[in-house]
């Protein structure tokens, strides 16, 4: 009996749960979910219709809208469930939406579901379908919104797309296409076919049937609309589609869209003589979708076949193809007596043939045992998530081998939950051909109404574009720039939304159609700050998906994220990085790409990669349209004032930027050294500083004032614009409106922009050179700029030999005429620089220190070059202001367990974060001593060893923290200090790897035996050499194999005991420059070869 029936509830004495038992293992569950069920009219206290395979017509949904009160009630319940799913229940957004929906229903009797609501509701309708055994896949359903359809042709076009998507060359994908909702009793959109693909049944004069007897009636209907079949056993029926209650139209499905499988047997060659075949895609098209009170009479959807649906029912049933006896006879079974069980043998062989054939041809098909197992898992999932699961035992148990499947022995409770898929009366039973009204008989208001309705539908049809979402994550703004470029291109064909990853509502990922990811990689393979949470959620979902899958790969939906199942999104990832980081090049983008693929996303393009050492790799993928001066302007705002620098930078970089004041800038190197490394001490001008040892300080520099003045003097419009007047940069939008360009702050002076917001010292990218071509008047210069803008070997030589900035380019190409608005709209942003923090906030409250190598270099052509930020910091005096924010580096924090050893490895400025380590350790020891927990001299000291391996050139010039380290070593804070000198006079070169190798046994003891942590800070090459050195020590000291040593280091990294803070190119030394140049040129050659072979 239907437990949703009121009489049934009385008989159960108002139990809060209904007990269900598994008769094999005697496990019992309590179904409480049925209390949310709807009252149905199929069953009563005196009769149960649960064993009926087809429900009577009087129980089916008829035409016409529901009463407004009922629609409001169902809408309220659905919206509550939807907003709970996206974790926004009872928020302002939820309540505002409910109020709007209620108002809409009161006005016209129904409301428009958003696309996300429609998708979620459609998936729930499958989840709630009590007769379906394959529901564990409900969250994978791809929903196509075809509510914009106006004509039967529109419906046919959408269905053809559905067939292509669902069939997918045999790798079937579940999908539903939803056509416009019911608006009254006479204007329904209907698919007359029971399934989109079925075979005709031709009734002969003697009552026999050629083809599928189940489709005799519909075959005659098709013939009445002019269709003529071939009279064969497997003729695909046409579609009959009805739009807006109008005359039905007939459409023949193209042969190439109907994937059919020829049926053969793995053991019996004679089986081919039956000439059997079956279509791959089962797409039910006769049901009505009911979501939140809104009904959709046309909603064809497909999953994939279970073998018994074809082998037992379609081929075996007496009222279908009735093949049991012919197969039994070919098997030479005794068909005269039922005791020979010939039917059972024949039906099994039919199923074996179907299973074999679908697998042979690579077409998705599931067996009934595996499917029954997955349904049992689904019951378990639903019990955890919802307190029960509606299930119709009569339909769930497979038609053969029933008692051998797990579902046979499981008690089930059948009830109706909405959203739902409902049976409805066959359309040909209610359709009445309409008489043609002449236009002259229509009243003016009828014509006006028809025009208005048509215009509305046409507007929807024209405005309907595939939605695409672009997500970016960035530390310096490059990814955002490329995302903007991509949006400009996609806007031509798609409805595009672009946003930063940290602003993205992750719950919406299940509803995306197209997703584009553009992201950089920070440091040694880490996510940018604004991409961390996205990666965390994506990883959590992938992990839950993996952990909550059964042996068949079906998901066990037991958490908020895993309950949404695999993703159906089409996606592509474009990753930015630097090849100087070796194996971690574009690592974050690669991880996102892998996670999306792991979760079932469909790659539309393989991952793209852009290299900062080779700009064209990125630039050539996204080529911006030509720059037009008449579409950009400077608007001068009289009486306005520019924003304070912290507000301007905060808006520009989407970060909370504050300022620090310089306490002191001290050169740490000897006056004998030609190099300079400075200790910059700063204090907060605003909120108290909060950071941990290992974190990074992001510093926003200023360009060299001399360089700024030279550039301003070169501008073509220097006489016509006021360089110190507040203005804003605007561009002409597609809607022909002047819109503020958000690349730079809304109010600025031109001088300020070139000083603090735009990079005027960097080498122009190939894209910028491409835009410069039309700004020069000399043909020879145009040709050279065109060659350089291709980003080939010539560009790389020019870049590394000359290291030219925009001023150098203007000198090299004297016919260039560059205006302020051109440079403001084309120069890249001035990036923030990251420095490892060299102080402990516990030791120096409200103070923060950084260790900075001052970059100065000479190019091959003899030009003197200077690092923008390091030289700016070196020029500052006490009280000067430094814009900043702190970037947490959780992967480089000191271990929570203070008793484990710490090995620090950092040559040169790689020592920077370790100064914060030894300062923190000194404070921790001091506090422990004061609390009488331990003293420094206790034999049971609670602190593990703190060991430093440092490397520099010469002891008298470059040992930057020598005195400070000696003091901390004497205090017992630093337990061991090893320094390698690579240029010490009269001594062989020595590097940190050499010292590590010499102390290999101690290293092994601390790491392998005492669970210590290794921290490495420096450039990629050094870090790679250190890792190989440690692997070799493990091989030599512990007799590990090479593979075991590599795996141990990898395991240390994965478990958070091997930490790396790796930086790229900072010093323009000849060695580093040549390394970068070699890497870039190798990539040029690689791309040239790829072009030739592609």
């Amino acid at each position: 009996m239907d437990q949703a029936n009121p009489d049934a509830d009385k008989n159960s004495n108002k139990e809060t749960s209904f007990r269900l038992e598994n008769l094999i293992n005697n496990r019992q569950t309590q179904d409480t979910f049925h209390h949310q069920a709807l009252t149905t009219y199929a069953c009563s206290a005196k009769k149960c219709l649960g064993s009926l395979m087809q429900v009577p017509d009087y129980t089916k949904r008829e035409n016409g809208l529901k009463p407004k009160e009922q629609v409001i009630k169902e809408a309220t319940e659905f919206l509550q469930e939807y907003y709970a799913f996206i974790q926004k229940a009872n928020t302002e957004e939820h309540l505002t939406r409910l109020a709007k929906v209620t108002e809409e229903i009161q006005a016209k009797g129904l409301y428009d579901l958003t696309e996300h609501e429609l998708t979620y509701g459609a998936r729930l309708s499958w989840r709630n379908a009590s007769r379906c055994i394959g529901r564990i896949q409900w969250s994978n359903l791809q929903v196509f919104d075809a509510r914009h359809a106006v004509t039967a042709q529109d419906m046919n076009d959408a269905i053809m797309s559905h067939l292509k998507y669902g069939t997918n060359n045999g790798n079937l994908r579940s999908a539903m296409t939803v056509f416009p909702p019911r608006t009254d009793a006479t204007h329904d959109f209907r698919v007359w076919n029971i399934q989109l693909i079925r075979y005709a049944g031709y009734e002969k004069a003697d009552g026999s049937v050629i083809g599928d007897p189940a489709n005799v009636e519909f075959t005659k209907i098709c013939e009445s609309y002019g269709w003529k079949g071939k009279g064969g056993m497997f003729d695909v029926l046409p579609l009959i589609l009805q739009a807006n209650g109008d005359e039905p139209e007939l459409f023949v499905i193209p042969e190439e869209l109907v994937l059919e499988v020829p049926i053969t047997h793995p053991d019996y060659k004679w089986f081919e003589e039956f000439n059997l075949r079956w279509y791959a895609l089962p797409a039910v098209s006769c049901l009505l979708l009911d979501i939140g009170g809104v009904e959709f009479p046309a909603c064809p959807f497909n999953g994939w076949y279970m073998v018994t649906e074809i082998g037992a029912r379609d081929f075996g049933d007496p009222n279908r193809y009735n093949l049991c006896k012919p197969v039994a006879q070919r098997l030479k079974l005794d068909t005269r007596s039922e005791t020979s069980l010939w039917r059972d043998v024949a039906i099994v062989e039919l199923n074996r043939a179907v299973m074999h054939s679908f697998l042979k041809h690579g077409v998705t098909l599931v067996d009934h045992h595996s499917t029954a197992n997955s349904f049992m898992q689904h019951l378990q999932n639903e019990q955890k998530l919802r307190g029960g699961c509606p299930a119709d035992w009569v339909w769930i148990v497979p038609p053969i081998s029933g008692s051998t499947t797990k579902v046979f022995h499981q008690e089930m409770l059948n009830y109706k939950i909405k959203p739902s898929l409902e049976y409805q009366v066959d359309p040909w039973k209610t359709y009445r051909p309409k008489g043609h009204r002449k236009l002259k008989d229509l009243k003016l208001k009828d014509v006006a109404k028809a025009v208005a309705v048509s215009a509305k539908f046409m507007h929807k049809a024209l405005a309907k574009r595939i939605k695409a979402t672009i997500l970016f994550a960035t530390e310096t703004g490059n990814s955002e720039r490329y995302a903007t470029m991509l949006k400009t291109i996609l806007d031509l064909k798609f409805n595009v939304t672009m946003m930063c990853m940290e602003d993205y509502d992750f719950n919406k990922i299940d509803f995306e159609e197209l997703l584009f990811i553009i992201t950089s990689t920070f440091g040694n393979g880490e996510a940018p700050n604004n991409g961390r949470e996205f990666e965390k959620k994506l990883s959590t979902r992938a992990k839950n998906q993996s952990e909550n899958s059964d042996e068949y790969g079906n998901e066990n939906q037991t958490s908020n994220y895993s309950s949404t199942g695999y993703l159906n999104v089409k996606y592509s990832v474009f990753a930015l990085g630097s090849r100087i980081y070796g194996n971690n090049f574009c690592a974050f983008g690669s991880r996102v790409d892998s996670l999306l693929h792991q979760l079932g996303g469909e790659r539309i393009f393989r991952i793209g990669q852009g290299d900062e050492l080779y700009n064209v790799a990125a630039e050539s993928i996204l080529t911006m349209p030509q720059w037009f001066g008449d579409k950009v302007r400077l608007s001068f705002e009289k009486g306005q004032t520019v924003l304070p620098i912290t507000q301007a930078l905060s808006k520009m970089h989407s970060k909370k930027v504050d300022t620090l004041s310089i306490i002191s800038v001290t050169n740490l190197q000897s006056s004998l050294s030609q190099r300079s490394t400075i200790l910059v001490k700063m204090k907060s001008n605003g909120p108290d500083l909060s950071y941990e040892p290992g974190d990074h300080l992001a510093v926003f520099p200023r360009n060299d004032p001399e360089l700024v003045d030279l550039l301003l003097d070169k501008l073509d419009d220097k006489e016509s614009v006021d360089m110190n007047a507040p203005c804003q940069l605007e561009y002409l939008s597609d809607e022909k409106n002047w819109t503020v360009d958000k690349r730079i702050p809304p109010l600025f002076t031109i001088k300020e922009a070139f000083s603090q917001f735009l990079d005027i010292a960097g080498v122009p990218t190939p894209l910028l050179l491409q835009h410069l071509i039309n700004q020069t008047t000399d043909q020879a210069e145009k040709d050279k700029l065109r060659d350089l803008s291709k980003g080939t070997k010539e560009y790389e030589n020019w870049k590394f030999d000359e290291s030219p900035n925009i001023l150098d380019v203007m000198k090299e190409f004297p016919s260039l005429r560059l205006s302020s608005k051109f440079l403001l709209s084309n120069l890249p942003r001035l990036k923030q620089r990251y420095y490892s923090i060299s102080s402990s906030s516990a030791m120096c409250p409200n103070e923060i220190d950084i260790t900075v190598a001052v970059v100065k270099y000479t190019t091959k052509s003899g030009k003197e070059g200077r690092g923008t930020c390091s030289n700016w910091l070196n020029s500052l005096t006490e009280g000067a202001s430094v814009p900043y924010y702190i970037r947490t580096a959780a992967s480089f924090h000191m271990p929570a367990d203070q008793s484990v050893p710490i090995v620090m490895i950092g040559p040169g400025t790689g020592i920077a974060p370790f100064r914060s380590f030894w300062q923190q350790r000194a404070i921790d020891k001091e506090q422990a001593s004061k609390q009488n927990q331990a003293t420094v001299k206790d034999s049971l000291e609670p602190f593990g060893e703190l060991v430093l391996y440092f490397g520099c050139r010469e002891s008298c010039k470059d040992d930057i923290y020598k005195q400070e380290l000696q003091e901390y070593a004497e205090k017992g804070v630093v337990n061991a200090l090893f320094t390698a000198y690579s240029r010490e006079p009269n001594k062989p070169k020595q590097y940190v790897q050499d010292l590590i190798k010499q102390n290999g046994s101690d290293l092994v003891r601390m790491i392998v035996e005492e669970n210590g942590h290794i921290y490495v800070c420096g450039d990629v090459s050094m870090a790679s050499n250190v890792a190989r050195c440690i692997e070799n020590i493990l091989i030599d000291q512990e007799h590990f194999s090479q593979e075991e040593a590599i795996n141990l280091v990898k395991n240390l990294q994965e478990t958070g005991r091997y930490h790396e803070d790796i930086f790229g190119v900072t010093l323009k030394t000849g060695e580093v420059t040549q390394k970068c140049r070699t890497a870039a040129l190798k990539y040029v050659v690689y791309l040239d070869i790829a072009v030739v072979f592609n």
Side-chain angles (χ1 to χ4, degrees):
M1 183 178 293
D2 189 330
Q3 295 301 317
N5 188 279
D7 294 330
D9 283 341
K10 291 177 183 178
N11 293 337
S12 64
N13 296 320
K14 299 182 179 180
E15 292 184 70
T16 59
S17 62
F18 198 100
R19 187 176 64 189
L20 301 172
E21 185 174 355
N22 185 296
L23 303 180
I24 293 294
N25 56 31
N26 297 320
R27 291 178 182 170
Q28 294 183 352
T29 57
Q30 304 291 330
D31 189 303
T32 58
F33 190 45
H34 69 274
H35 289 292
Q36 299 182 32
L38 304 168
T39 300
T40 61
Y41 304 99
C43 301
S44 68
K46 295 185 177 181
K47 70 176 187 302
C48 175
L49 305 183
S51 60
L52 295 181
M53 295 296 288
Q54 300 294 335
V55 299
D57 278 356
Y58 71 83
T59 68
K60 297 178 180 178
R61 183 74 179 101
E62 295 183 352
N63 295 1
L65 288 177
K66 302 174 184 178
K68 291 181 180 179
E69 296 75 16
Q70 185 179 349
V71 178
I72 291 174
K73 178 178 181 296
E74 293 183 18
T76 301
E77 293 171 350
F78 170 69
L79 290 175
Q80 181 67 38
E81 185 168 8
Y82 169 72
Y83 278 97
F85 171 76
I86 64 173
Q87 301 176 8
K88 291 184 179 181
N90 302 317
T91 61
E92 183 179 352
E93 180 182 337
H94 175 194
L95 300 178
T96 300
R97 173 65 177 151
L98 178 58
K100 182 179 178 181
V101 165
T102 303
E103 182 181 355
E104 204 172 341
I105 296 171
Q106 293 289 10
K108 59 181 184 180
L110 73 162
Y111 64 100
D112 292 326
L113 291 159
T114 67
E115 285 198 39
H116 289 177
E117 291 167 356
L118 177 70
T119 298
Y120 180 63
R123 290 173 178 171
L124 278 186
S125 71
W126 187 14
R127 185 184 191 182
N128 296 334
S130 63
R131 289 185 163 186
C132 180
I133 193 173
R135 278 179 281 162
I136 198 167
Q137 298 288 341
W138 68 271
S139 58
N140 299 340
L141 182 69
Q142 173 66 51
V143 180
F144 295 111
D145 185 357
R147 290 178 292 175
H148 59 280
V150 177
T151 65
Q153 182 62 56
D154 293 341
M155 296 178 69
N156 183 66
D157 292 344
I159 289 173
M160 295 305 104
S161 296
H162 180 131
L163 291 176
K164 289 178 185 177
Y165 175 86
T167 303
N168 192 31
N169 296 318
N171 185 17
L172 271 54
R173 298 180 287 196
S174 56
M176 176 185 289
T177 298
V178 183
F179 292 106
R182 172 168 290 162
T183 57
D184 54 34
T186 59
H187 292 87
D188 279 356
F189 285 72
R190 292 293 299 269
V191 179
W192 282 31
N193 307 59
I194 293 175
Q195 291 186 22
L196 295 181
I197 302 172
R198 286 203 97 173
Y199 294 128
Y202 305 100
E203 188 174 33
K204 300 172 68 175
D206 61 0
S208 62
V209 175
I210 296 175
D212 193 343
N215 299 323
V216 168
E217 181 182 12
F218 190 69
T219 301
K220 292 178 179 179
I221 292 172
C222 292
E223 290 173 335
S224 73
Y225 277 88
W227 180 71
K228 293 183 179 180
K230 297 179 181 179
M233 291 286 287
F234 300 100
D235 295 346
V236 176
L237 286 164
L239 296 172
I240 296 182
L241 307 175
Q242 184 179 17
N244 202 32
D246 292 336
E247 183 75 16
E249 297 182 37
L250 186 142
F251 298 88
V252 175
I253 304 175
E255 289 184 9
E256 63 269 19
L257 293 185
V258 181
L259 178 61
E260 294 180 283
V261 179
I263 306 299
T264 58
H265 196 281
D267 298 327
Y268 303 117
K269 183 70 175 176
W270 50 259
F271 208 95
E272 297 177 12
E273 299 173 16
F274 287 121
N275 292 317
L276 301 179
R277 64 176 181 265
W278 204 257
Y279 51 90
L281 192 76
V284 177
S285 52
C286 61
L287 300 182
L288 173 144
L289 174 63
D290 189 339
I291 302 175
V294 181
E295 297 178 310
F296 301 89
C299 58
F301 70 94
N302 74 274
W304 42 80
Y305 272 118
M306 184 168 70
V307 62
T308 55
E309 296 177 273
I310 304 172
R313 301 302 310 282
D314 296 327
F315 285 156
D317 279 0
N319 61 337
R320 298 297 297 283
Y321 280 82
N322 196 20
L323 291 172
C324 281
K325 192 167 186 177
V327 170
Q329 289 171 340
R330 292 301 300 266
L331 289 169
K332 299 180 180 181
L333 301 176
D334 184 2
T335 59
R336 297 170 299 174
S337 171
E338 299 295 347
T339 59
S340 67
L341 303 182
W342 61 270
R343 299 181 196 275
D344 303 77
V345 176
I347 205 75
V348 167
E349 295 305 330
L350 278 167
N351 279 273
R352 287 187 66 208
V354 172
M355 196 84 232
H356 162 76
S357 302
F358 272 66
L359 293 177
K360 176 183 176 181
H361 292 278
V363 177
T364 305
L365 184 76
V366 290
D367 69 273
H368 47 299
H369 294 285
S370 299
T371 307
N373 293 343
S374 71
F375 185 75
M376 293 299 293
Q377 182 63 61
H378 177 66
L379 288 180
Q380 181 180 333
N381 297 342
E382 294 293 81
Q383 186 66 39
K384 292 178 182 177
L385 290 168
R386 303 205 290 181
C389 176
D392 188 338
W393 190 94
V394 174
W395 277 68
I396 296 297
V397 174
I400 66 168
S401 309
S403 64
T404 66
T405 63
K406 293 181 179 180
V407 292
F408 182 89
H409 307 280
Q410 175 63 53
E411 292 182 338
M412 302 177 192
L413 199 59
N414 190 19
Y415 46 92
K416 182 186 291 186
I417 297 290
K418 290 195 175 182
S420 60
L421 291 164
E422 305 282 350
Y423 290 102
Q424 53 186 338
V425 177
D426 295 326
W428 59 84
K429 294 180 180 179
T430 58
Y431 174 70
R432 298 290 180 270
K434 298 177 181 178
H436 296 284
R437 297 176 66 186
K438 296 180 180 179
L439 187 59
K440 64 181 181 180
D441 294 333
L442 294 173
K443 296 180 180 179
L444 180 60
K445 66 178 183 180
D446 294 328
V447 176
K449 182 177 180 181
V451 171
V453 171
S454 298
K456 178 182 178 182
F457 277 119
M458 286 305 295
H459 175 74
K460 284 186 176 181
L462 293 173
K464 179 67 179 178
R465 295 190 296 176
I466 295 176
K467 291 189 175 182
T469 298
I470 302 172
L471 300 180
F472 65 86
T474 182
E475 288 287 352
T476 61
N478 275 345
S479 296
E480 183 177 3
R481 179 164 65 95
Y482 286 115
T484 302
M485 294 165 65
L486 179 61
K487 184 177 186 299
T488 301
I489 297 168
L490 294 182
D491 272 337
L492 300 173
K493 294 291 183 182
F494 300 92
N495 182 3
V496 184
T497 300
M498 185 187 91
M499 66 180 66
C500 182
M501 277 186 187
E502 68 179 356
D503 299 325
Y504 180 66
D505 184 349
F506 191 80
N507 293 300
K508 292 182 179 179
I509 198 168
D510 288 287
F511 306 105
E512 300 292 357
E513 295 180 62
L514 274 176
L515 183 63
F516 295 93
I517 304 288
I518 299 183
T519 181
S520 60
T521 294
F522 183 81
N524 193 32
E526 298 176 35
N529 234 8
N530 48 25
R532 289 179 176 181
E533 192 63 24
F534 182 86
E535 182 185 24
K536 180 180 177 182
K537 290 179 178 178
L538 205 60
S539 299
T540 299
R541 178 158 171 174
K543 180 181 178 182
N544 289 340
Q545 189 67 61
S546 176
E547 291 177 351
N548 296 325
S549 295
D550 62 20
E551 60 184 307
Y552 307 103
N554 297 311
E555 58 179 290
N556 308 342
Q557 301 148 347
T558 56
S559 71
N560 288 338
Y561 290 129
S562 65
S563 67
T564 61
Y566 289 96
L567 298 175
N568 290 297
V569 66
K570 294 181 176 68
Y571 76 94
S572 187
V573 175
F574 179 59
L576 297 170
S578 171
R579 292 187 183 275
I580 197 95
Y581 286 97
N583 292 334
N584 287 311
F585 172 59
C586 293
F588 174 59
S590 297
R591 291 199 302 273
V592 171
D593 178 72
S594 297
L595 286 168
L596 288 170
H597 185 68
Q598 179 183 338
L599 284 166
E602 179 186 350
R603 286 191 187 102
I604 53 177
F605 295 109
R606 65 180 179 83
I607 184 171
Q609 295 178 330
D611 185 1
E612 72 173 1
L613 295 181
Y614 180 59
N615 294 292
V616 71
E619 305 286 358
S620 61
I621 292 173
L622 300 170
T623 303
M624 283 288 285
Q626 184 179 352
W627 186 82
F628 293 102
D630 58 350
K631 292 188 177 181
V632 179
R633 74 179 186 184
L634 280 172
S635 176
F636 287 86
E637 306 294 322
K638 294 182 179 180
Q640 298 289 329
T641 57
V642 298
L643 292 174
I645 185 61
T646 53
Q647 292 184 31
L649 290 172
S650 295
K651 283 182 175 291
M652 188 172 169
H653 295 274
S654 300
K655 303 283 187 183
K656 179 64 173 71
V657 178
D658 289 305
T659 58
L660 298 166
S661 288
I662 293 290
I663 298 173
S664 64
V665 177
T666 306
N667 186 6
L668 297 172
Q669 293 190 253
S670 164
S671 58
L672 300 175
S673 175
Q674 295 180 346
R675 291 174 303 280
S676 178
T677 301
I678 56 177
L679 173 63
V680 184
K681 293 190 173 187
M682 295 163 281
K683 63 181 179 181
S684 174
N685 289 328
D688 291 340
L689 293 172
S690 176
Y691 63 89
E692 291 188 39
D695 286 345
H696 300 144
L697 184 73
V699 173
F700 292 93
R702 292 178 68 95
N703 284 311
D704 183 344
E706 183 180 349
L707 200 62
V708 173
D709 290 338
L710 287 172
L711 180 60
L712 292 176
D713 188 58
K714 288 282 187 180
L715 294 179
D716 194 44
D717 56 351
K718 64 180 180 180
E719 302 297 336
S720 58
V721 297
D722 186 348
M723 301 297 172
N724 294 300
C727 61
Q728 60 188 22
L729 186 65
E730 299 177 347
Y731 66 92
L732 194 62
S733 68
D734 294 337
E735 293 77 23
K736 306 302 180 184
N737 298 320
W738 286 104
T739 306
V740 176
D741 191 331
K742 295 182 180 178
R743 287 181 64 251
I744 50 181
L747 277 174
F748 59 89
T749 68
I750 296 174
K751 184 171 184 177
E752 180 189 37
F754 290 140
S755 297
Q756 299 187 111
F757 304 143
L758 298 173
D759 185 359
I760 65 174
V763 179
T765 66
L767 178 61
L768 178 53
L769 296 178
Q770 182 182 342
H771 286 168
L772 289 176
I773 295 171
N774 290 331
Q775 308 303 313
T776 187
T777 56
D778 182 84
Q779 187 58 47
E781 293 179 10
K782 284 180 182 287
D783 293 342
K784 184 172 182 181
L785 281 170
R786 187 173 288 109
D787 290 340
L788 289 173
S789 71
K790 295 175 183 177
T792 55
K793 184 177 181 180
E794 184 178 355
Y795 172 80
E796 292 303 323
N797 287 333
W798 178 74
K799 172 183 175 180
F800 284 103
D801 289 348
E802 306 295 332
S803 190
N805 57 39
I806 189 64
L807 264 170
D808 297 324
V809 173
M810 294 172 76
K811 291 177 184 177
E812 185 176 351
F813 300 92
S815 71
L816 275 172
R817 295 293 180 265
L818 302 183
S819 66
S820 55
K821 68 178 183 179
F822 175 88
L823 291 177
L824 289 168
S825 55
N826 283 285
L827 285 176
R829 289 173 172 174
L830 183 57
K831 301 175 184 178
Q832 64 271 47
R833 271 58 166 181
Y834 293 96
Y835 297 98
S836 297
I837 296 174
S838 297
S839 57
S840 164
S841 59
M843 176 171 285
C844 308
N846 218 34
E847 180 182 318
I848 195 164
D849 301 346
I850 54 176
T851 305
V852 181
V854 181
V855 178
K856 295 182 180 180
Y857 59 95
T858 303
T859 67
K860 186 176 181 180
S861 63
K863 172 191 168 183
E864 297 294 328
R866 289 151 50 99
T868 299
C869 191
S870 61
N871 281 275
W872 174 67
L873 287 169
N874 195 32
S875 71
L876 299 180
T877 57
E878 183 179 354
S881 183
V882 178
Y884 83 101
Y885 66 85
I886 291 171
R887 184 185 193 275
T888 301
S891 62
F892 208 75
H893 287 173
M894 297 176 73
D897 183 357
Q898 295 179 325
S899 67
V900 299
I902 294 176
V903 178
M904 305 174 291
I905 305 169
T909 52
I911 198 174
F914 302 133
R915 185 171 185 262
S916 69
F917 279 37
W918 69 64
Q919 286 188 358
Q920 184 66 45
R921 176 57 60 88
I923 289 296
D924 290 340
K925 283 196 167 188
E926 182 180 334
Q927 290 178 345
S929 177
K930 288 180 180 179
Q931 295 171 5
N932 295 319
Q933 294 179 352
T935 65
V936 174
K937 296 180 180 180
D938 277 347
S939 59
L940 297 176
E941 185 175 343
F943 294 98
E945 293 177 72
L946 191 67
V947 178
L948 174 65
Y949 288 89
F950 173 64
C952 61
R953 292 190 172 191
E954 298 180 47
S955 58
C956 63
K957 295 180 181 180
D958 308 305
D959 202 343
I960 55 179
Y961 285 116
K962 183 176 183 179
Q963 184 175 347
E964 184 174 325
L965 276 167
Q966 287 175 347
E967 292 174 1
Y968 279 101
E970 291 172 1
K971 293 177 182 179
V973 174
V974 177
N975 301 98
L977 170 62
F978 303 97
T979 305
Y981 301 111
S982 63
R983 302 288 191 278
E984 190 75 355
N986 303 318
K987 289 188 178 182
K989 290 184 178 181
Q990 192 176 50
Y991 298 96
V992 289
Q993 300 95 288
D994 300 318
L995 294 179
I996 294 171
K997 188 174 182 179
Q998 290 175 15
N999 296 278
S1001 58
D1002 285 338
L1003 182 74
V1004 169
R1005 170 183 56 80
M1006 289 186 285
I1007 301 307
V1008 177
E1009 299 175 14
E1010 299 175 10
N1011 296 319
H1013 287 239
I1014 297 176
Y1015 290 82
V1016 181
C1017 183
D1019 66 47
V1020 173
S1021 178
M1022 181 279 300
S1024 176
N1025 291 335
V1026 167
R1028 283 197 296 269
C1029 176
I1030 294 174
E1031 291 166 6
N1032 290 333
I1033 289 171
L1034 291 170
I1035 294 171
D1036 296 339
Q1037 299 280 340
E1038 293 294 301
H1039 307 294
F1040 282 24
S1041 68
Q1042 184 176 11
E1043 182 179 1
E1044 289 172 336
I1046 292 172
N1047 288 337
L1048 177 58
V1049 172
K1050 184 178 180 181
N1051 180 260
L1052 290 173
Q1053 293 170 334
E1054 292 175 349
T1055 56
R1057 289 177 51 212
Y1058 193 112
H1059 314 261
E1060 294 176 304
D1061 188 356
I1062 296 177
F1063 45 79
V1065 183
T1066 56
L1067 296 176
K1068 295 281 185 174
T1069 63
E1071 179 184 354
V1072 172
T1073 301
Q1074 187 58 40
K1075 187 182 298 182
C1076 298
R1077 180 176 185 171
T1078 301
L1081 291 179
K1082 281 182 179 178
Y1083 197 53
V1084 171
V1085 173
Y1086 166 77
L1087 287 181
D1088 287 343
I1089 293 172
V1091 170
V1092 170
F1093 284 94
N1094 285 304

